[in-house]
Amino acid sequence: MISRSYTNLLDLASGNFPAMEVKRKRFPRVMTVPGNVAELDDDQAYSVTSENPSSISSDRMIIVANQLPLRAKRREDDNSWSFSWNEDSLLLQLKDGLPEDMEVLYVGSLKVDIQPDEQDEVSQILLEKFRCIPTFLPPDILENFYDGFCKRNLWPLFHYMLPYSADQKGRFDRSMWEAYVSANKLFFQKVVEVINPDDDYIWIHDYHLMVLPTFLRRRFNRVKMGFFLHSPFPSSEIYRTLPVREEILKALLNSDIIGFHTFDYARHFLSCCSRMLGLEYQSKRGYLGLEYYGRTIGIKIMPVGIHMNRIESVMKLADEDAKTRELTQQFAGKTVVLGVDDMDIFKGINLKLLAMEQMLKQHPKWQGKAVLIQIVNPVRGKGRDLQEIEDEIKESCRRINKEYGHPGYEPIVLLDRHVPITERVAYYSIAECVAVTAVRDGMNLTPYEYVVCRQGISTSQKCLNFSGPKKSMLVISEFIGCTPSLSGAFRVNPWNVESTSEAFNEAISMADSEKQLRHEKHYRYVATHDVAYWSRSFLQDMERTCSEHFRRRCWGIGFSFGFRVVALDPNFRKLSVDAIVSSYSRADSRAILLDYDGTVMPQNSINKSPSEQVISILNTLCADAKNVVFIVSGRGRDSLSKWFRPCKKLGIAAEHGYFLRQSQNEEWKICGQNSDFGWMQIAEPVMKLYTEATDGSSIERKESALVWQYRDADPGFGSSQAKEMLDHLESVLANEPVAVKSGQFIVEVKPQGVTKGLVAEKIFSSMAEDGNHADFVLCIGDDRSDEDMFEIIGNALSSNNILSPTASVFACTVGQKPSKAKYYLDDTAEVISMLEYLAEASSPLPSSEDEEEGQNAS
């Protein structure tokens, strides 16, 4: 049955949802939370903790992928199912890098279709014998999920092909998106059946399950969860065409760590987060991280490796197999270039054939000697494009063989069938060079396999016929994930057929000594960076990223795929009106410091002048003799003076405290250490230079500061220009008494020693000098500049000279976000409401007119 939370979580996937009801009972689950399975079908946005110990080991890894690492076939005798491990599956191989005592469970689907009446029995067998929990997808969901959204939308998009172009004659089909979400929901339900949320690690694999993190994080706020993308991630210009782009990004950000094969893929993801969500990444001690509502999401860059033991065991079998000897005899006297690719539009197989043709044409010496053996694995998807590319490949083979072949020699040998790894190793052993010319590929481990096979097995006497120096040559596309790791390979642009053909020629013509050196370099890397190294490194980074989970308070906010978890300091809590009014009423000397924009004035308001309600509240607070009330803002003194003219007793600190006024009757004081603004003549021309070059930027000139803002500029270019300007200004102003700081979409130059924190310190000191040590402090702000006030207030508690030893301090930020403040209010409306309560609790002094009337009456 569809759970009650289904429609809540999928508001953004509008339309009719496919039916998911299956008339069968569930197989017994491993209980990890009190209650029954039905109770867990209602996804509530709170953290579920395990009060009862799990019946499975507490140190576990749950690996979730589209397909389980299993092979399945029906027995001929009794028509029952037979299952076995798929030794070539990466999901199975990665166990070698996990601790030996860590139990591993798998959640995924099967490649075969299991009938509904068999599913309970199969589930029980797989759980007991293989620790696998199968997910059975209804046929209608499976087709729209895998062949639909995954293969027609995500797969081409992630490989830099726009699936919605006019050439594709298609538009975004929301029913496929709904099926994708529905399928992820089914995987989530299977994870829930076995998870121990306090102890288990969850590792989600690849683009099929990119919204699964939201389902899991919504149910278990503190679950330890990683995601690894095995495909490329496109540039932001490509990715932004996806209609559900933000939903997928936000879902991925519910993971604790997100892994990519190369920095290029990670960079593209980070660029999308910056341009579409306004998030900027930081590098701390070599680790990349994204700050997202108090959580730091780790960005892991680590290319996957191969399973060395698996390859070596296959090589031993190949040593004993006649296939190697057969191929050696068949291609005796020939120089073999080998290609191993899936039948896919992105593998560049035809480009490889054209490059081989070009080499034979430009270098006739290879005619009759060079052979390209192209292994083409069967088609895994569907579509008109696949049939067209298959026909094109076969036509190229026929044409090239007709032109350059002769009896006993074919320059192109096409193996259009599945070649098992034992046979593939035999082809590796006779190949002088392996060529991978994919136009876009996530990783591609073929070069790694080839290098290891050419090294041979040290314990083998025959060593796959390698009695001489070990050598291997690689011609690989610069658009595949393994390219950065193989520095000795010939890196080519596969679209440039001429340069690829020259690379072929150079690779097979190179001196053996050079081939040997390149091989040794590659083998050292491949042997040390195997799949165990990759999974071990990912787990270590996941442990490090998740180490703060139980030290912070977490709660979920938002609906649908806008859901996220806010993680904050345990002492950070919402400001209680009752508590602050109580402290306010008992106090004899109060200091109230308020930021303006974003605190008592909404940031998105066009009219920036304060409302009558705000003016009335401030006047009431100022009228109480026990109160010292200040507006502390970055705005200029002219604007603030004009807006708050009705508030006679209100103190104002303008331009972050450079100008200070106790009340309207007093003169402005300059609190800066230096009143010489000659530096502006140096800084302003630099800012103008960057403003002219950065569309959407502007300069704001204040009396004491210059601000360059780029909120309306391109996010990536604006940020880059801001960093460059920061360095430029720091260089030219090195000998000037100014501070150059960057903020949210701004670069500011202002006099040294001017901060809101110093304003707070001056106000407290002034009150103390008058004998009125503040015993109640309220400070409210919303941005980075206000953090200086919060820090000073925290430090002032330890100073006996500034505040009363028994002072009640309320440092409050606006919005639920990491802050040095201990309290928060959600928005400006709550700030004004709270101030109104304080105003009602105030005791205003009688006005001068009231005093005169009182004297006359007496």
Side-chain angles (χ1 to χ4, degrees), residues 52 67 91 100 144 162 210 213 475 489 546 587 623 656 660 671 721:
N52 294 343
Q67 292 184 341
L91 302 178
E100 291 184 4
N144 280 327
L162 295 177
M210 289 197 295
V475 176
C546 299
H656 299 297
L660 188 68
C671 300
Q721 291 287 79

Side-chain angles (χ1 to χ4, degrees), residues 460-690:
S460 172
Q461 295 181 353
K462 298 179 183 178
C463 224
L464 284 174
N465 298 319
F466 291 156
S467 55
K470 311 297 187 298
K471 56 184 181 178
S472 62
M473 290 305 298
L474 295 169
V475 176
I476 56 178
S477 166
E478 61 190 51
F479 302 119
I480 64 176
C482 66
T483 299
S485 309
L486 300 170
S487 56
F490 286 91
R491 298 168 179 169
V492 298
N493 175 2
W495 298 103
N496 189 333
V497 173
E498 289 76 13
S499 67
T500 305
S501 69
E502 287 303 314
F504 283 178
N505 177 58
E506 290 183 42
I508 59 181
S509 302
M510 187 173 285
D512 284 355
S513 58
E514 179 66 17
K515 290 180 181 179
Q516 185 178 355
L517 289 174
R518 294 185 183 225
H519 168 80
E520 290 172 354
K521 182 177 185 180
H522 291 159
Y523 181 76
R524 282 196 300 270
Y525 176 85
V526 174
T528 54
H529 293 73
D530 61 355
V531 66
Y533 177 88
W534 170 74
S535 59
R536 187 184 310 115
S537 177
F538 191 88
L539 176 60
Q540 288 172 352
D541 277 14
M542 196 182 341
E543 290 175 338
R544 176 183 54 79
T545 307
C546 299
S547 61
E548 297 291 323
H549 272 20
F550 293 95
R551 302 176 192 172
R552 317 194 78 180
R553 286 196 311 128
C554 300
W555 64 92
I557 59 174
F559 298 98
S560 186
F561 289 108
F563 176 84
R564 64 271 188 199
V565 165
V566 177
L568 298 169
D569 188 275
N571 295 322
F572 188 75
R573 56 191 180 275
K574 189 163 187 174
L575 186 60
S576 166
V577 172
D578 292 340
I580 194 171
V581 169
S582 175
S583 297
Y584 180 87
S585 301
R586 294 194 305 268
D588 294 320
S589 179
R590 313 180 188 113
I592 301 174
L593 283 62
L594 304 172
D595 176 40
Y596 185 64
D597 291 284
T599 301
V600 295
M601 171 58 61
Q603 286 281 15
N604 57 0
S605 176
I606 298 177
N607 181 10
K608 292 297 183 180
S609 59
S611 65
E612 292 182 5
Q613 180 188 18
V614 170
I615 295 294
S616 174
I617 292 172
L618 291 176
N619 275 328
T620 303
L621 291 173
C622 292
D624 193 324
K626 298 179 180 180
N627 294 344
V628 173
V629 185
F630 266 83
I631 291 291
V632 185
S633 173
R635 287 191 173 272
R637 56 178 174 174
D638 291 340
S639 298
L640 294 173
S641 295
K642 177 182 176 182
W643 290 338
F644 292 103
R645 186 173 288 117
C647 302
K648 306 296 183 184
K649 298 181 179 180
L650 178 68
I652 298 177
E655 298 191 17
H656 299 297
Y658 186 84
F659 298 106
L660 188 68
R661 188 179 72 183
Q662 297 281 349
S663 66
Q664 198 173 110
N665 298 329
E666 296 189 17
E667 295 295 324
W668 287 98
K669 295 180 182 178
I670 297 177
C671 300
Q673 300 174 356
N674 196 313
S675 58
D676 181 9
F677 295 103
W679 55 266
M680 284 192 176
Q681 298 176 5
I682 303 173
E684 192 167 18
V686 174
M687 286 188 172
K688 286 182 177 179
L689 182 69
Y690 285 88

Side-chain angles (χ1 to χ4, degrees), residues 131 169 186 223 249 318 395 397 422 596 640 775 795 836:
R131 310 304 290 161
K169 298 180 181 179
L186 290 171
V223 68
L249 283 182
E395 175 57 32
C397 289
T422 51
Y596 185 64
L640 294 173
D775 57 1
N795 296 335
E836 199 165 23

